[in-house]
Amino acid sequence: QHLNLEAEYKDDDALIQSYINAAEMLVHADVGESEAELVAKYGAIPAPLQVATLLVVGTFYTARETVAFGAIMQKVPTYDILVSKYRNYSR
């Protein structure tokens, strides 16, 4: 739904799953806590981190290269806003 794809379109399912896996790993590494640690601390993955993961997946899917249409892709500022309060700097 986040990628705005028709439900019948299945051609990119494996690719999208790899983006989901990579995005989850990226968010957990950035925050400094595993999924299990976050669930233990908050009872579930906090909604802002879920949205950050979706933003990363969407970026991976729509901008598959670091250069698109002659412009260098940059980090999505919203991502930092979403994860900043969850970063564990003690690690």
Side-chain angles (χ1 to χ4, degrees):
Q1 186 177 9
H2 177 75
L3 297 176
N4 201 24
L5 298 173
E6 297 293 328
E8 305 81 38
Y9 182 71
K10 304 287 184 193
D11 293 355
D12 287 346
D13 282 1
L15 176 66
I16 292 167
Q17 187 60 57
S18 69
Y19 290 159
I20 292 168
N21 296 343
E24 288 174 341
M25 290 178 69
L26 179 116
V27 170
H28 292 306
D30 191 12
V31 171
E33 295 185 334
S34 69
E35 180 176 351
E37 291 170 318
L38 289 169
V39 170
K41 187 185 266 186
Y42 300 106
I45 301 296
L49 297 181
Q50 292 177 28
V51 173
T53 301
L54 289 173
L55 287 174
V56 173
V57 171
T59 301
F60 286 168
Y61 188 73
T62 59
R64 298 177 191 197
E65 302 293 333
T66 56
V67 177
F69 305 110
I72 297 174
M73 300 305 293
Q74 298 189 12
K75 197 171 187 179
V76 179
T78 309
Y79 173 87
D80 280 330
I81 293 167
L82 291 166
V83 300
S84 64
K85 298 207 183 300
Y86 297 94
R87 286 191 178 114
N88 182 348
Y89 294 103
S90 66
R91 292 183 177 209

